[in-house]
Amino acid sequence: MFFINLFSKLPFFVLYGISNFAYFIIYRVVGYRKKVVFENLRNSFPNKSESEIEQIAKDFYQHIADLFIEFIKGYSISKDEISRRVKIVNLDVVKKYSDKNQSVIIVTGHIGNWEWLLHPLNLTGIPMDIVYQKLSSPFFNELTLFIRSRFAVTPLIEKDDTLRKTIERKDITRALVMGSDQSPQNWKSAYWTNFLNQDSGFFTGTERIARKLDYPVIFSEMRRIKRGYYEIEFTEIALPEEFKELAMGEITERFVRILDKSIHQYPADYLWSHRRWKHKRTEEDAVKTNFRELRS
């Protein structure tokens, strides 16, 4: 931690120089998960040429190198610096609910800089309950918790404790922040739909919590404006007054569609190295029709 603290205090121009070198190593020399990245890109964008796919891959690897540098920078970055580099363009979308003591769920995906997303959210003055996935490495888990919690008012919530903790804190006005594009742990309860041109299973916990507690669901899009600078924009996905009219799965479907659109706009900024599609829908899963089929 001592050396990470020292490293994080290097100026950005030095850190991005290190990132350029790291990009060369992970893309040109090591080829980190190159097969996975190119397979994901080709399957997601079948109409793009091989040269276009290769350019997205190069931009992605540079982005990943920058993400790691920016993540470590989060160890010591100041409130003023993070506020200057990450702008929230329409906080009023969330604040109008907190002002009337209404909790919400903020859903996001692994696009832009999801680590830097948390810092400005924690600085809004709106209490945030942030859900995280515990890492297998004790060191990196401790490091990640420290960085993500630097400006947090309350401790992070481990993913397996989400429902219990959320119910325990249902009388406290806050925003529950969840990354909802990861592969579900329980495939039997997954919601299946087309995502990035591929049959994809999605975690349904976000939708179930929203319906159980009548929480509005808001999508948080993080866009990279230029190197080291981002902006966050909120979009309402579903409101409690319409829940009864929505078939189970439709809230998740709305999230998938808006995330899919965002990735098509900023393809290099998505986490392509994740083995997102390693699990295929089984015959048993295929029996479960989605809300569109139920409506037809």
Side-chain angles (χ1 to χ4, degrees), residues 209-272:
I209 291 172
R211 289 177 180 273
K212 186 175 183 64
L213 298 176
D214 281 335
Y215 286 179
V217 182
I218 299 171
F219 177 74
S220 174
E221 181 182 51
M222 192 174 198
R223 301 185 288 260
R224 179 159 53 101
I225 306 306
K226 60 180 181 179
R227 197 176 203 182
Y229 291 86
Y230 302 85
E231 67 179 18
I232 298 168
E233 184 172 5
F234 296 111
T235 303
E236 291 171 314
I237 293 179
L239 305 179
E241 53 264 33
E242 60 179 330
F243 286 174
K244 290 183 179 179
E245 304 300 321
L246 301 180
M248 186 62 193
E250 190 160 354
I251 297 174
T252 305
E253 182 71 25
R254 290 182 181 184
F255 163 71
V256 173
R257 297 280 67 84
I258 194 171
L259 177 62
D260 190 285
K261 180 180 177 181
S262 182
I263 294 169
H264 274 81
Q265 288 180 310
Y266 309 97
D269 294 351
Y270 191 60
L271 185 59
W272 296 109

Side-chain angles (χ1 to χ4, degrees), residues 11-226:
F12 272 101
F13 77 89
V14 175
L15 290 174
Y16 285 130
I18 295 172
S19 177
N20 292 339
F21 178 70
Y23 156 75
F24 176 79
I25 297 297
I26 62 176
Y27 181 67
R28 297 293 185 184
V29 180
V30 177
Y32 171 70
R33 292 194 177 182
K34 214 168 183 178
K35 182 178 178 181
V36 174
V37 170
F38 274 85
E39 181 181 358
N40 285 342
L41 286 172
R42 290 182 183 119
N43 290 338
S44 299
F45 306 114
N47 296 325
K48 290 190 180 296
S49 66
E50 193 61 23
S51 61
E52 289 176 308
I53 294 294
E54 185 173 355
Q55 186 58 57
I56 294 173
K58 289 178 180 178
D59 293 342
F60 161 72
Y61 276 100
Q62 182 64 76
H63 178 56
I64 281 294
D66 284 356
L67 278 183
F68 180 73
I69 291 298
E70 291 167 2
F71 168 67
I72 297 299
K73 187 67 176 178
Y75 193 95
S76 63
I77 197 167
S78 68
K79 293 179 180 180
D80 289 341
E81 183 72 11
I82 198 68
S83 298
R84 188 172 67 85
R85 289 179 172 271
V86 185
K87 300 289 186 183
I88 299 177
V89 300
N90 59 344
L91 181 61
D92 57 292
V93 172
V94 179
K95 195 173 185 302
K96 70 180 180 182
Y97 291 107
S98 64
D99 285 348
K100 56 184 181 183
N101 296 320
Q102 168 68 65
S103 294
V104 301
I105 295 180
I106 296 176
V107 290
T108 188
H110 286 79
I111 186 169
N113 186 334
W114 51 92
E115 297 295 342
W116 274 14
L117 169 72
L118 304 180
H119 299 320
L121 290 184
N122 279 321
L123 293 174
T124 60
I126 301 171
M128 299 281 169
D129 281 358
I130 296 170
V131 178
Y132 81 100
Q133 177 69 54
K134 188 175 181 179
L135 302 178
S136 57
S137 166
F139 172 77
F140 280 105
N141 189 66
E142 181 184 351
L143 175 63
T144 301
L145 281 176
F146 175 80
I147 292 176
R148 290 179 179 177
S149 302
R150 283 196 59 226
F151 307 126
V153 177
T154 58
L156 274 65
I157 298 174
E158 208 279 317
K159 188 175 181 180
D160 292 341
D161 294 332
T162 304
L163 182 58
R164 179 176 63 84
K165 289 287 188 180
T166 302
I167 292 175
E168 285 179 1
R169 295 169 57 76
K170 64 183 176 64
D171 295 327
I172 303 172
T173 302
R174 75 261 188 255
L176 180 65
V177 184
M178 307 177 72
S180 298
D181 62 331
Q182 292 177 309
S183 299
Q185 293 174 321
N186 183 3
W187 287 98
K188 292 182 179 179
S189 64
Y191 172 78
W192 289 88
T193 187
N194 183 282
F195 172 59
L196 292 172
N197 195 52
Q198 297 164 84
D199 198 27
S200 310
F202 277 84
F203 169 68
T204 59
T206 302
E207 176 161 353
R208 294 179 188 279
I209 291 172
R211 289 177 180 273
K212 186 175 183 64
L213 298 176
D214 281 335
Y215 286 179
V217 182
I218 299 171
F219 177 74
S220 174
E221 181 182 51
M222 192 174 198
R223 301 185 288 260
R224 179 159 53 101
I225 306 306
K226 60 180 181 179

Side-chain angles (χ1 to χ4, degrees), residues 187-190 192 280-289:
W187 287 98
K188 292 182 179 179
S189 64
W192 289 88
K280 303 300 180 183
R281 192 189 323 211
T282 64
E283 291 184 7
E284 182 182 354
D285 296 326
V287 174
K288 302 173 185 175
T289 55

